Amino acid sequence: MSVWRLSDVLVDLNTQRVQHGETSVRLSPRANAVLRALIACGDRPLSRESALDQVWANVATGDEVLSKAINEMRQALGDTDARARRFIETIPKSGYRLVCSIVPVVGELETPDTAQTEPAPTDAALVSVPEAPSPVEAMPSRRRWPVVTIAIGLALFMIVLGIRLHTSDPATEQYSVAALRAGLRNAPRLLADADANLGYTEVTPDGRRALYATLVDAEVRLVTQPVGGGVAERLSRDAAGNEFAPAISHDGRLVAYLRFSGSDCRIRLHRLVDGDERDVGACSLRFAEWMEFTPQDDALLIPRMRPGDSAMSLHRIDLADGHVSILDYPRDPQRNDVQARHSPDGRRLAVRRGPQPHSSLWLIDLGAGTQRELIDDTFGLDGFAWLPDGTGLLVGRAIGTDAGLWRVAALDGRRDYLGLRGATRPVVASSDGTLLFTQGQRYYGLARVQLDGQGESDPPQPFTATQGNDWFPRWSYDETQLAFLSDRDGAVAVYVVPAETASAQRLPDIADAVAESTPAVSADGERVLVVARQADGASSLYEITIANPVWSRIGQRRDIDEVAVSPDGHWVYYVAREDGQRVLWRRSRETGSEQSIASGLARGPIAIDSSGGVFFIDVDRMALMRYSDTDGRSEKRLDDMGYWNAYAWTIAGDQVYLLLEPGGDDFGLYLAAPGQPPQLIEPMDGVLSLGLALAATRKQLVLARPPRAGLQLMQARLGAPNP
């Protein structure tokens, strides 16, 4: 075949032309040959070595010629946004892969001058394959048999390629990108102000009533409120306990939610018609477990730990008898599956994996038993919901210049920014397209806790004043500088706060890269190191001198997650992703030599103590480990480390400050040491943290946590003006 449709673009490999709407671009012979090789691979990667062998065989050349061809193709295809590739994905250290739909087309590609029946693609065409007139009816009878043969061959070819087109995938006009943008330009309505809304939002399928958490008599309660306006009312009349994480059945009759009371957590089932309630089973005190009704409304999906596993996966709780069983579906045993939502037709699951802000979004085809990543863990995912027609999802992005709502196509993963800066956590009524979302400019802020050395503290106080997000703090060893990430001016950047001034200094942007890990500050407080993700998706180490702020890259290694420096300044420690796991490396500042020292690390920060011991979380043991350079051995320091405290710990000599729930009671900030009972420092009410930083000499702990309130609950109508 020579003519192909790649998403909304037509490609003729014989004439080397790419036609996008009324624009036609001719590729160079080399770029056209690389595109032919990519199409032949389907959704499998094309390695750099294979591409060079196929296109530049017997020609002495380097990788730059392939990179040039890829850039030429991306320009022709309109695939120029490095943060959201629509057509050609770069696979670090490997090659490239087409991430769009790939469909063969019968007939020749027409030029803009002669085209008569090929209209410019509409927004609906961006995620679907337009129907063409039947070639059998359009051609003379003597040519019908060859065309029928070709059509049969094409059908078989598509099956072999595994192209799974659902009847619900072509976007309806109401939920196309243009319609969604037009609808969201209408001013959304305020449903609950920031003082009342604590999150955990849901909406009934008919779009008439909203559910959300609020404070009632100093306890968190779920309330229902008419979407068109009205008074909020308590969902349950039970006297005691805090209520979180509601889920509404697909028929709109039942609400499942979590009730925390003392050292107990129970899943409750509430019938909306008469308020009748009953108990379903137990839940975790560590964090709110997101629940989802099965399509038949006879069970709940909930994240749990399988026996022998170190990561959570989806389980099924039968509503008739409370029986818990493991859900059989494609998964990654090293990643926590923490939230799921069924597509409107019930055949697919959208699953969130990993802790925020490093959550990814996967699409599970339950019938075919396959999975596909829609959003990787660098996006900053904060909430997702299916569009009522099943063609895609609305997702929220919490941080960065393009924070807000996005449309992600289920068919080919295309991402389109819809706007509404500060909008996240969308929920959508399945029958009428009513949209609820939270909106605000601050999701994580720095707070300080003054310690008295006795395991007690004063209530947390704001550390810095900002209208943006601040997270991942770390002090220098001499406690003169605190470094952290922030998007207070829109873009994500590294900030430093001198201890004597408490006035934040913004460090310059990193050229063609965005900081994404906990910064590391040198022992003298003069330099900052950070991991930043580059435009091609790879991540590397960067360093800057605060007095002369110019970033420079350290080494050539890519795919790095975290960094820390030793107190003596001789070593840089970092975590690199290799062959499906995370490996701990150290690099000499004097010689640049590197060596790997441990493997199997969980996602999260690393820390170095005064003796040079390296602390990290082991993903299999779910434990905080200490690696010693002296004898090259790793020893376990603390158990019960995982999803809920992956970023919420910091060392204090032989002790550790961390989020914990010892013995299933009093979730909060603790001071822990091996062999001793942990001491409660500050109750956290189930609120997770994105980083802890200790200034021991001042007895001050800085933590990144969501504010108690600060996000308005808003209401809009998808694809149509608000009523």
Side-chain angles (χ1 to χ4, degrees):
M1 292 300 301
S2 63
V3 183
W4 298 81
R5 185 177 292 279
L6 308 184
S7 187
D8 57 318
V9 176
L10 286 173
V11 174
D12 190 336
L13 298 175
N14 281 349
T15 62
Q16 302 171 204
R17 285 190 291 112
V18 175
Q19 184 172 314
H20 190 198
E22 297 182 355
T23 302
S24 180
V25 179
R26 187 179 296 277
L27 295 173
S28 68
R30 299 292 192 186
N32 190 68
V34 176
L35 183 54
R36 185 187 296 273
L38 281 168
I39 291 174
C41 287
D43 61 357
R44 294 176 289 105
L46 172 69
S47 69
R48 300 183 69 90
E49 294 78 9
S50 178
L52 291 170
D53 289 343
Q54 292 182 52
V55 181
W56 286 272
N58 303 318
V59 177
T61 185
D63 284 359
E64 66 278 359
V65 295
L66 177 57
S67 299
K68 181 179 179 181
I70 293 292
N71 289 334
E72 180 185 342
M73 283 187 288
R74 282 173 170 162
Q75 291 292 329
L77 294 166
D79 195 19
T80 55
D81 186 354
R83 297 168 299 179
R85 294 294 187 199
R86 294 179 48 215
F87 292 90
I88 305 174
E89 173 190 42
T90 300
I91 302 176
K93 297 183 181 180
S94 178
Y96 303 91
R97 181 172 70 96
L98 288 176
V99 293
C100 58
S101 58
I102 310 168
V103 181
V105 178
V106 178
E108 294 297 321
L109 182 64
E110 296 177 316
T111 65
D113 297 333
T114 61
Q116 298 178 358
T117 60
E118 180 74 19
T122 64
D123 290 292
L126 297 180
V127 295
S128 62
V129 182
E131 293 184 359
S134 169
V136 177
E137 297 174 354
M139 294 184 181
S141 60
R142 67 178 181 272
R143 299 182 60 187
R144 290 184 182 180
W145 175 248
V147 171
V148 172
T149 304
I150 292 173
I152 295 173
L154 287 177
L156 293 174
F157 183 78
M158 292 172 68
I159 293 173
V160 172
L161 282 179
I163 300 175
R164 298 178 300 276
L165 299 179
H166 298 278
T167 56
S168 60
D169 277 335
T172 59
E173 182 178 352
Q174 184 179 3
Y175 303 114
S176 67
V177 174
L180 291 174
R181 285 175 176 163
L184 294 178
R185 280 196 292 267
N186 297 294
R189 289 177 173 173
L190 176 67
L191 193 62
D193 61 29
D195 292 333
N197 175 46
L198 297 182
Y200 301 103
T201 306
E202 274 291 357
V203 63
T204 54
D206 59 10
R208 294 183 179 181
R209 299 195 70 85
L211 275 77
Y212 60 92
T214 191
L215 276 178
V216 178
D217 298 329
E219 290 189 305
V220 180
R221 301 290 194 181
L222 292 176
V223 296
T224 69
Q225 182 174 334
V227 169
V231 178
E233 299 177 349
R234 283 271 311 271
L235 176 71
S236 171
R237 295 300 170 185
D238 282 7
N242 293 284
E243 300 163 354
F244 296 93
I248 299 179
S249 62
H250 301 285
D251 63 10
R253 298 178 180 180
L254 300 173
V255 177
Y257 68 94
L258 310 181
R259 174 176 292 144
F260 294 80
S261 181
S263 59
D264 187 35
C265 177
R266 308 297 298 177
I267 301 173
R268 301 288 293 172
L269 194 64
H270 179 97
R271 197 162 59 190
L272 286 173
V273 65
D274 56 11
D276 182 58
E277 284 198 359
R278 65 181 177 88
D279 192 88
V280 175
C283 47
S284 171
L285 281 167
R286 290 190 177 95
F287 55 91
E289 298 175 310
W290 294 103
M291 297 180 291
E292 165 78 354
F293 279 87
T294 56
Q296 296 77 26
D297 291 333
D298 59 348
L300 290 168
L301 297 186
I302 192 167
R304 292 285 169 89
M305 199 77 72
R306 303 186 186 203
D309 278 5
S310 57
M312 289 180 292
S313 61
L314 298 177
H315 287 56
R316 188 180 188 275
I317 301 180
D318 193 290
L319 296 183
D321 56 11
H323 175 70
V324 180
S325 58
I326 296 172
L327 185 68
D328 182 18
Y329 71 104
R331 55 184 287 265
D332 181 348
Q334 301 297 322
R335 301 289 302 276
N336 289 291
D337 288 352
V338 295
Q339 188 178 6
R341 289 191 181 273
H342 279 98
S343 61
D345 60 13
R347 296 186 296 179
R348 293 167 287 178
L349 268 180
V351 177
R352 179 167 71 89
R353 288 179 174 163
Q356 288 180 306
H358 293 136
S359 296
S360 57
L361 186 64
W362 288 74
L363 188 64
I364 311 295
D365 189 315
L366 296 173
T370 59
Q371 60 179 332
R372 176 162 50 93
E373 187 178 53
L374 291 177
I375 295 176
D376 66 25
D377 61 8
T378 66
F379 181 80
L381 177 68
D382 193 354
F384 62 99
W386 281 94
L387 292 170
D389 65 354
T391 62
L393 298 102
L394 280 185
V395 302
R397 190 174 196 170
I399 56 179
T401 54
D402 49 8
L405 294 183
W406 290 67
R407 185 191 191 279
V408 179
L411 182 64
D412 58 9
R414 168 174 171 162
R415 285 178 276 178
D416 291 281
Y417 183 51
L418 303 177
L420 284 184
R421 168 78 179 167
T424 56
R425 307 173 195 177
V427 294
V428 179
S430 58
S431 62
D432 77 337
T434 294
L435 166 68
L436 304 183
F437 60 92
T438 57
Q439 190 165 29
Q441 298 301 317
R442 184 164 185 149
Y443 296 86
Y444 299 100
L446 298 185
R448 66 175 184 271
V449 177
Q450 202 65 38
L451 310 171
D452 63 4
Q454 302 299 318
E456 298 178 357
S457 69
D458 296 328
Q461 301 296 320
F463 184 79
T464 57
T466 175
Q467 294 300 311
N469 300 289
D470 302 334
W471 69 101
F472 289 165
R474 178 176 279 165
W475 283 103
S476 60
Y477 289 105
D478 62 5
E479 300 179 7
T480 61
Q481 299 277 0
L482 178 77
F484 59 94
L485 300 187
S486 180
D487 68 349
R488 56 184 61 187
D489 66 354
V492 177
V494 180
Y495 285 71
V496 292
V497 177
E500 65 275 8
T501 66
S503 177
Q505 173 189 349
R506 187 191 194 279
L507 299 182
D509 292 329
I510 305 171
D512 299 321
V514 178
E516 65 173 19
S517 74
T518 305
V521 188
S522 61
D524 55 13
E526 296 180 356
R527 297 182 305 280
V528 176
L529 292 86
V530 75
V531 176
R533 185 165 296 274
Q534 298 151 316
D536 63 359
S539 51
S540 301
L541 281 177
Y542 291 85
E543 184 178 36
I544 196 171
T545 301
I546 297 175
N548 183 27
V550 177
W551 291 100
S552 60
R553 182 174 168 179
I554 299 178
Q556 298 301 311
R557 189 174 295 275
R558 297 151 71 88
D559 296 328
I560 300 175
D561 278 348
E562 297 288 345
V563 62
V565 295
S566 62
D568 59 14
H570 294 319
W571 297 98
V572 174
Y573 293 85
Y574 64 87
V575 180
R577 300 186 300 277
E578 302 176 8
D579 299 326
Q581 63 175 338
R582 290 181 167 84
V583 179
L584 178 64
W585 288 75
R586 71 172 184 174
R587 175 186 175 89
S588 170
R589 296 305 302 265
E590 288 79 14
T591 67
S593 62
E594 298 179 318
Q595 65 180 123
S596 61
I597 55 180
S599 61
L601 277 69
R603 186 76 189 247
I606 53 178
I608 320 294
D609 64 18
S610 58
S611 302
V614 189
F615 288 77
F616 60 88
I617 297 177
D618 184 284
V619 69
D620 291 325
R621 302 183 189 183
M622 298 179 63
L624 185 66
M625 310 294 293
R626 181 185 184 273
Y627 170 84
S628 172
D629 277 342
T630 304
D631 55 16
R633 298 177 58 186
S634 295
E635 62 175 348
K636 183 172 67 175
R637 283 302 179 92
L638 291 175
D639 287 311
D640 202 22
M641 304 292 290
Y643 165 77
W644 51 91
N645 52 18
Y647 302 98
W649 61 274
T650 187
I651 59 173
D654 291 333
Q655 298 176 305
V656 180
Y657 286 97
L658 77 164
L659 287 185
L660 207 59
E661 181 204 18
D665 195 8
D666 294 330
F667 180 89
L669 179 65
Y670 282 81
L671 179 62
Q676 299 179 17
Q679 303 177 63
L680 179 63
I681 302 297
E682 177 69 24
M684 294 290 284
D685 297 327
V687 176
L688 301 185
S689 174
L690 287 183
L692 304 179
L694 175 68
T697 58
R698 290 196 299 279
K699 298 181 180 179
Q700 186 181 98
L701 190 69
V702 175
L703 65 156
R705 58 175 292 176
R708 186 67 172 178
L711 301 178
Q712 296 176 323
L713 180 58
M714 309 297 293
Q715 176 255 327
R717 180 68 62 81
L718 292 180
N722 286 332

